[in-house]
Amino acid sequence: MGKFDNRAGRRLVAGIPLFWLLLFFLIPFIIVLKISFSEVRLAMPPYAPLLQWVQGWPSPKLHLGNYGFLFTDPLYISSYLYSLKVAAVSTLCCLLIGYPMAYAISHASPTWRTVLLMMIVLPFWTSFLLRVYAWIGLLKNNGVINNILMYFGIIHEPLSMLQSDFAVYIGIVYSYLPFMILPLYANLEKHDNTLLEAAADLGATPMTGFFRITLPQSIAGIIAGSLLVFIPAVGEYVVPSLLGRTDQLMIGRVLSDEFFENRDWPVASAVAILILLALVIPIMLFQHFQRRELEAQE
Amino acid sequence: MTSRGVFSRTALVFGLVFLYVPILSMIVFSFNNSRLVTVWDAAHSPTLKWYGELLSNGQIVGAAWLSIRIALVSATGAVILGTLTGVALARFGPFRGRTLLSGMTTAPIVMPEVITGLSLLLMFVALEQFIGWPKGSGALTITLSHITFCMAYVTVVVQSRLVGFDESLEEAAMDLGARPATVFFRVTLPLIVPAILSGWLLAFTLSWDDLVITQFVAGPGSSTLPMVIFSKVRLGVSPDVNALATIMVLLVTIGIVTSAVWMRYQNRRRERDEQLAAAANL
Amino acid sequence: MSAQLQVDAPAAASREQGAPAAFVRIEHVTKKFGEFAAVDDVSLDIQQGEIFCLLGGSGSGKTTLLRMLAGFETPTTGKIYIDGQDMSTIPPYERRINMMFQSYALFPHMTVEKNVAFGLEQEKLGKSEIRTRVADILEIVKMSSFTARKPHQLSGGQRQRVALARALVKRPKLLLLDEPLAALDRKLREHTQFELINIQKRLGVTFIVVTHDQEEAMTLSTRMGVMNHGKIAQVGTPAAIYESPATKFVADFIGSVNMFEGRVMVPGTGRIESDELGCTVVVDRKLNCAGGSTVWTAVRPEKINMSRSLEDASGPRENLVRGTVKEIAYMGDVSIYLVQIDSGKTVRVTLPNIMRDAEHRITRDETVYLSWHGSSPVVLTE
């Protein structure tokens, strides 16, 4: 809006959200960090006070036991690795399914494109929780899939599909698919199709055209979509709770259990910090790509 | 059609089937008389009895009502804060705190909800210890939390609308004597209303549907609809949940189709006007 | 002008000596974006009531200069005075200047009437006064019957007129126009050029026009400034710039020109030895420069006489070369001939098609003689 905005006005417009987010987003993380270093107490709130006063000076009391606990207990380590694995595999599946879909939509006629986008987006607007629930009905032992397979005599015993890795993959891929398709579509839609025509004119097969022209140009969309799926999937709670294994928990479930079941807020905080550490780089990558995308539009 | 065309179209069809079969199955079985949901009771189905049970279930209806109220306030708050942020990031150039603001608005979009939820609750507890507010958890803490994570989405929508906006319109307004605030309210804002509206709807849906963050910051006595549903479905399938799902899908479909038809109508009218003007010439 | 080699010193562009205090004074203005200088030490005076055109290619800095006048950019160094007032601290919404944008920038959600009234509303005028003034200006631009339309319901030419009305209704002292005719088709462009001139005369507003189109600049302006790489190459009336370009750049930029390198062997004479031409060029003035110095002779294509025989040649005997016609472009009113002369260089000659029938016209591969008067060339050192 020009270089002559009055200072006070600008301060207000930028300052209000800045203040809000500092208070409700940034400072909370600092508090989590602090509590991860504190000891659990049988009190309300169930952790040792934030600052100890020693001879008139505030002195933070750092208790590293929570982290030590996490690093030595195999339950936690395996949950981390399991979560990272599940998130990575789910992201890959989302990509393999979502990319061709986004591609097809971007090459459809304008009317179809609107309809198809609406169809992709419609599930997104209905409840996440309910859509995961739907898979319970499909996957359980007397659920739809088993009933159909048994009806046609393909199997005689119901397949145990719930409470498994398979169910979790399906649940995550199913819920996060629109998040992969939309950034990919946004990217693919901007491609100049005359480039492909030029390639065909020079003798390239359609597959070559795809791998050497379309794919490289869509890398930004691939990365954006993948981050949009991977990062939240690591800490996913609902899908593993409803569909996942009981013998191997994902880290989001671990955090929640520590908090709600064990009332061990410090350990829950430590878990959160360690998840954050693993995700810091992907989150920064995501922010970088968001910024680039907006700048490209200017 | 090229080979890649065939391949991608097949994938599209399978993908759409994959997306819709679960939803359709939920809808179909909402009319199933059997309490086992997925075992079709042909003798007594289809039936609307689960809808009746749903709507007379005080706990569910109360929770739905609470969710709506929270979502209305959260969406509005998120839109106000998100628009302010979007304007600041899209129009202000570099300023102190810009990177921080920009970072804090993209992070919540991808941050796992367990982390956001935990941190918000710890924050509220510490705040209460410190200054005595907010007193306990409840609708207020839920609303504040929802506003916080929803505003990030609104910011992205508004910011990308503003970035693609023709700045010469704002310059023309300034050139004609309008001060920056007038420029925003009389020129910019009217033209980004669709973006703000879709931001509001997005925020409403995210708030209404939120489970994890809400579980952390809700207290005893405030149960939102997702919380009620979750505790039900942890124990297994439940036919009234199917009925609820059907209602929701119906509402969303009506909403989406209406808005698409409306936009199409607007575009058609606009195109016709432009053609008439060009034909008249000079 | 009897100045020999440089009509105006281009680097220190132009300040009219002894002219009345300029309405717009641009003093040593530089605008840098990072290390890149979009506008480089430009000084310019523009008088009240002029139509002044800034002409240049893309990247010449003309649009940046215009935006600084409007207030959307601030100069890195230098000052801008408008009607005696220093503009450094004055934001765009407080300047008595209005701008017509290249894209017109009409507010899409407002009717024509509200668009035009917008500027007056910012001045907090009364409703009836606003209505009257809006009606008057729409009358002048001939858009009175379109008041209730929205911009997307108007054609390109109509939108342009509304944009003009919106800018003029505030009675600014100065109107800035950014490529005003670029979006219009040819016929409309010619018509609008004259309309703009009429309106300007009628209202007495000073116009500063930015354009990349020479024809537009030549038609519209009372004076023009040619810009190149952020600097002013030359300022003057269209005729002065066309007939007496100050530098090779200006000579080449405006219209077409034939440029030949040569040396002044004997100072104080009007003789130039040119190997490129393969003859001695005789001009009708004395050239004051050191002996042996290199100069360039610029001759416009329409000033060269082309004849089949030596007898029909014009000008001094020395201004004569022989050549063969290689290409002809028939343009209707004139024909353009590319003639390869004995030295190997190609000369461009424009002749009006006086004869209707093709018989008498010179054809390809014919041998011809090119000649010109002593007054025709312009001699340049840079």
Side-chain angles (χ1 to χ4, degrees):
Chain A
M1 290 209 255
K3 307 176 68 66
F4 293 90
D5 291 347
N6 57 332
R7 296 264 132 191
R10 280 171 61 124
R11 278 223 185 98
L12 214 61
V13 172
I16 295 177
L18 198 58
F19 172 74
W20 181 284
L21 286 171
L22 280 172
L23 184 62
F24 291 113
F25 189 73
L26 195 62
I27 294 183
F29 283 121
I30 299 177
I31 295 181
V32 172
L33 185 64
K34 185 0 175 139
I35 293 181
S36 72
F37 288 117
S38 113
E39 288 179 62
V40 67
R41 287 269 186 279
L42 227 55
M44 187 58 205
Y47 55 84
L50 290 179
L51 287 177
Q52 309 276 27
W53 294 88
V54 175
Q55 290 174 340
W57 288 104
S59 113
K61 191 153 160 264
L62 288 180
H63 170 79
L64 295 171
N66 302 316
Y67 289 97
F69 179 50
L70 293 178
F71 279 117
T72 50
D73 189 330
L75 170 73
Y76 296 99
I77 300 178
S78 69
S79 292
Y80 269 118
L81 297 176
Y82 179 65
S83 303
L84 288 172
K85 182 188 90 162
V86 168
V89 172
S90 307
T91 307
L92 190 61
C93 293
C94 262
L95 184 60
L96 292 174
I97 301 178
Y99 195 106
M101 290 176 73
Y103 188 87
I105 300 179
S106 65
H107 282 248
S109 70
T111 357
W112 268 115
R113 227 182 285 175
T114 335
V115 171
L116 288 170
L117 280 175
M118 257 173 33
M119 291 183 72
I120 300 288
V121 157
L122 195 149
F124 164 74
W125 289 93
T126 55
S127 168
F128 181 90
L129 187 54
L130 289 172
R131 287 185 293 134
V132 175
Y133 163 77
W135 280 101
I136 302 181
L138 286 177
L139 294 177
K140 68 190 184 93
N141 284 356
N142 61 345
V144 177
I145 294 184
N146 272 318
N147 288 348
I148 293 182
L149 291 179
M150 296 231 283
Y151 181 85
F152 284 110
I154 301 177
I155 53 173
H156 301 289
E157 291 277 321
L159 294 172
S160 173
M161 293 182 283
L162 273 187
Q163 264 76 53
S164 66
D165 284 355
F166 172 70
V168 172
Y169 288 135
I170 291 210
I172 295 184
V173 169
Y174 183 74
S175 316
Y176 285 81
L177 196 57
F179 289 106
M180 175 63 81
I181 294 182
L182 291 175
L184 275 176
Y185 167 77
N187 177 294
L188 287 170
E189 191 233 351
K190 296 198 188 90
H191 286 201
D192 181 2
N193 284 323
T194 57
L195 293 180
L196 288 172
E197 289 171 5
D201 182 67
L202 292 165
T205 61
M207 274 308 167
T208 313
F210 172 74
F211 280 107
R212 298 208 47 192
I213 296 181
T214 310
L215 193 58
Q217 278 186 288
S218 58
I219 298 269
I222 294 179
I223 295 183
S226 304
L227 291 172
L228 214 49
V229 172
F230 177 77
I231 300 174
V234 169
E236 188 39 61
Y237 171 81
V238 174
V239 172
S241 296
L242 295 182
L243 302 174
R245 285 160 64 177
T246 41
D247 59 324
Q248 173 68 278
L249 299 179
M250 281 182 73
I251 202 71
R253 181 76 189 272
V254 167
L255 193 159
S256 178
D257 285 350
E258 287 298 335
F259 187 83
F260 287 110
E261 316 277 318
N262 299 350
R263 303 227 81 211
D264 194 338
W265 295 16
V267 166
S269 305
V271 172
I273 296 291
L274 287 180
I275 302 178
L276 265 180
L277 282 180
L279 293 178
V280 141
I281 295 185
I283 291 181
M284 283 174 52
L285 254 177
F286 176 73
Q287 290 176 336
H288 170 79
F289 273 94
Q290 269 292 95
R291 208 177 0 237
R292 241 178 54 168
E293 187 59 35
L294 283 168
E295 272 158 31
Q297 285 180 40
E298 274 175 26
Chain B
M1 204 187 343
T2 62
S3 57
R4 53 172 188 251
V6 170
F7 176 69
S8 59
R9 282 205 193 183
T10 328
L12 181 64
V13 168
F14 275 117
L16 286 173
V17 165
F18 174 60
L19 277 177
Y20 278 91
V21 158
I23 297 179
L24 291 172
S25 116
M26 268 201 302
I27 295 178
V28 163
F29 285 104
S30 73
F31 300 109
N32 180 14
N33 188 54
S34 161
R35 191 166 281 281
L36 294 176
V37 182
T38 49
V39 178
W40 189 261
D41 177 2
H44 301 103
S45 307
T47 167
L48 285 178
K49 85 171 187 199
W50 303 117
Y51 290 86
E53 263 204 37
L54 179 74
L55 295 171
S56 57
N57 182 332
Q59 190 197 26
I60 290 188
V61 171
W65 182 225
L66 179 65
S67 286
I68 291 181
R69 278 175 13 239
I70 292 180
L72 282 172
V73 176
S74 305
T76 313
V79 155
I80 295 175
L81 287 173
T83 307
L84 287 175
T85 318
V87 167
L89 290 177
R91 288 280 181 271
F92 282 7
F95 58 89
R96 261 181 49 188
R98 189 204 164 91
T99 339
L100 192 59
L101 187 61
S102 171
M104 289 198 292
T105 42
T106 34
I109 296 179
V110 282
M111 187 72 65
E113 292 207 306
V114 287
I115 299 184
T116 329
L118 176 71
S119 61
L120 276 165
L121 176 68
L122 294 180
M123 168 69 185
F124 287 129
V125 167
L127 207 55
E128 188 182 359
Q129 279 197 305
F130 218 54
I131 62 174
W133 175 89
K135 292 241 182 307
S137 309
L140 176 62
T141 49
I142 300 178
T143 310
L144 291 174
S145 313
H146 285 193
I147 293 180
T148 307
F149 86 88
C150 288
M151 70 182 270
Y153 292 84
V154 176
T155 303
V156 168
V157 170
V158 169
Q159 191 181 352
S160 52
R161 176 68 186 97
L162 282 175
V163 157
F165 192 84
D166 182 5
E167 285 201 54
S168 66
L169 289 173
E170 293 169 340
E171 288 179 349
M174 272 205 292
D175 178 70
L176 292 166
R179 313 195 78 81
T182 318
V183 172
F184 180 73
F185 283 107
R186 289 206 56 194
V187 177
T188 318
L189 198 57
L191 292 171
I192 61 172
V193 157
I196 294 186
L197 212 60
S198 60
W200 192 92
L201 286 171
L202 187 58
F204 184 90
T205 312
L206 289 168
S207 162
W208 152 270
D209 189 35
D210 180 73
L211 173 70
V212 179
I213 296 182
T214 315
Q215 269 192 326
F216 275 97
V217 298
S222 42
S223 280
T224 60
L225 188 59
M227 288 169 72
V228 168
I229 299 178
F230 187 67
S231 49
K232 260 179 173 286
V233 301
R234 282 188 106 150
L235 307 169
V237 289
S238 175
D240 49 354
V241 175
N242 286 55
L244 177 63
T246 311
I247 296 179
M248 284 202 60
V249 170
L250 190 65
L251 287 173
V252 167
T253 313
I254 292 178
I256 290 190
V257 168
T258 315
S259 74
V261 164
W262 168 251
M263 271 176 32
R264 204 186 160 91
Y265 167 70
Q266 292 280 62
N267 280 342
R268 282 263 172 82
R269 236 182 50 168
R270 195 187 175 81
E271 268 174 31
R272 209 195 50 213
D273 286 340
E274 283 170 358
Q275 280 167 358
L276 279 175
N281 218 356
L282 204 84
Chain C
M1 281 221 200
S2 63
Q4 299 309 309
L5 300 167
Q6 286 148 336
V7 176
D8 296 292
S14 106
R15 209 171 282 263
E16 306 267 301
Q17 306 293 346
F23 184 58
V24 177
R25 161 156 287 173
I26 300 172
E27 254 179 31
H28 294 292
V29 165
T30 302
K31 175 66 182 173
K32 283 197 171 161
F33 293 105
E35 281 310 305
F36 169 67
V39 173
D40 195 350
D41 194 28
V42 164
S43 295
L44 204 52
D45 282 353
I46 296 165
Q47 306 300 331
Q48 191 152 24
E50 279 198 291
I51 302 185
F52 190 93
C53 279
L54 284 168
L55 174 66
S58 48
S60 57
K62 57 191 196 302
T63 308
T64 312
L65 190 55
L66 196 76
R67 286 172 63 86
M68 283 196 276
L69 286 169
F72 299 123
E73 309 277 359
T74 38
T76 315
T77 54
K79 284 198 187 295
I80 296 180
Y81 296 90
I82 299 182
D83 205 10
Q85 196 184 9
D86 180 3
M87 292 280 125
S88 313
T89 52
I90 304 192
Y93 41 89
E94 284 173 19
R95 300 191 185 197
R96 288 299 314 271
I97 303 175
N98 287 120
M99 184 154 147
M100 198 177 109
F101 290 75
Q102 184 173 358
S103 64
Y104 309 140
L106 296 179
F107 305 128
H109 57 299
M110 296 187 197
T111 59
V112 164
E113 180 159 19
K114 289 223 74 86
N115 260 283
V116 177
F118 185 84
L120 296 176
E121 286 165 9
Q122 306 314 312
E123 288 176 28
K124 312 256 191 291
L125 296 177
K127 276 208 158 57
S128 56
E129 187 183 348
I130 293 182
R131 219 174 308 137
T132 326
R133 278 172 67 166
V134 167
D136 286 345
I137 197 73
L138 284 178
E139 171 94 43
I140 294 184
V141 299
K142 304 194 189 81
M143 289 292 291
S144 303
S145 45
F146 294 90
T147 45
R149 296 243 190 130
K150 292 237 178 96
H152 70 274
Q153 293 169 308
L154 302 173
S155 72
Q158 292 167 335
R159 286 183 215 178
Q160 197 229 29
R161 284 188 267 155
V162 175
L164 191 59
R166 185 178 70 176
L168 288 174
V169 77
K170 282 171 70 90
R171 299 187 189 142
K173 310 180 198 167
L174 178 60
L175 183 65
L176 307 172
L177 297 94
D178 189 0
E179 309 265 10
L181 307 175
L184 304 174
D185 59 58
R186 195 183 167 80
K187 277 259 173 259
L188 196 53
R189 206 181 300 173
E190 287 179 15
H191 175 85
T192 313
Q193 271 169 1
F194 291 115
E195 269 200 32
L196 274 178
I197 298 178
N198 281 335
I199 292 180
Q200 192 263 354
K201 283 214 180 73
R202 189 164 159 184
L203 298 177
V205 183
T206 309
F207 274 20
I208 299 182
V209 181
V210 149
T211 177
H212 65 279
D213 186 320
Q214 308 170 21
E215 262 188 48
E216 201 172 300
M218 305 277 266
T219 320
L220 284 177
S221 40
T222 53
R223 270 194 326 142
M224 54 194 258
V226 180
M227 283 189 75
N228 184 31
H229 291 317
K231 291 188 187 292
I232 301 260
Q234 185 175 356
V235 174
T237 62
I241 290 191
Y242 186 82
E243 301 294 359
S244 311
T247 65
K248 279 166 64 193
F249 168 77
V250 177
D252 192 42
F253 187 78
I254 311 276
S256 324
V257 75
N258 296 295
M259 199 85 74
F260 308 108
E261 199 176 327
R263 283 181 316 282
V264 179
M265 299 313 296
V266 183
T269 63
R271 302 176 72 87
I272 303 168
E273 306 296 328
S274 174
D275 294 330
E276 271 192 344
L277 269 177
C279 74
T280 306
V281 179
V282 169
V283 297
D284 64 350
R285 31 194 195 283
K286 303 195 192 354
L287 301 170
N288 292 318
C289 60
S293 44
T294 307
V295 295
W296 277 270
T297 312
V299 190
R300 298 257 181 224
E302 70 274 9
K303 297 188 168 53
I304 298 182
N305 180 24
M306 186 167 76
S307 54
R308 283 198 178 91
S309 64
L310 281 169
E311 286 75 39
D312 298 327
S314 54
R317 283 313 264 167
E318 290 89 335
N319 292 345
L320 189 67
V321 290
R322 189 181 62 179
T324 319
V325 176
K326 287 293 172 200
E327 298 288 343
I328 307 176
Y330 177 76
M331 309 294 280
D333 49 350
V334 300
S335 285
I336 303 176
Y337 298 84
L338 293 180
V339 179
Q340 187 169 43
I341 54 179
D342 290 342
S343 71
K345 204 158 145 70
T346 305
V347 176
R348 187 187 176 103
V349 182
T350 311
L351 288 183
N353 291 323
I354 301 179
M355 297 297 197
R356 282 181 57 228
D357 53 345
E359 273 176 34
H360 296 91
R361 277 188 240 130
I362 296 179
T363 56
R364 220 180 244 122
D365 295 324
E366 270 200 59
T367 304
V368 292
Y369 291 93
L370 305 180
S371 52
W372 54 92
H373 293 283
S375 59
S376 300
V378 176
V379 183
L380 303 166
T381 53
E382 61 169 292

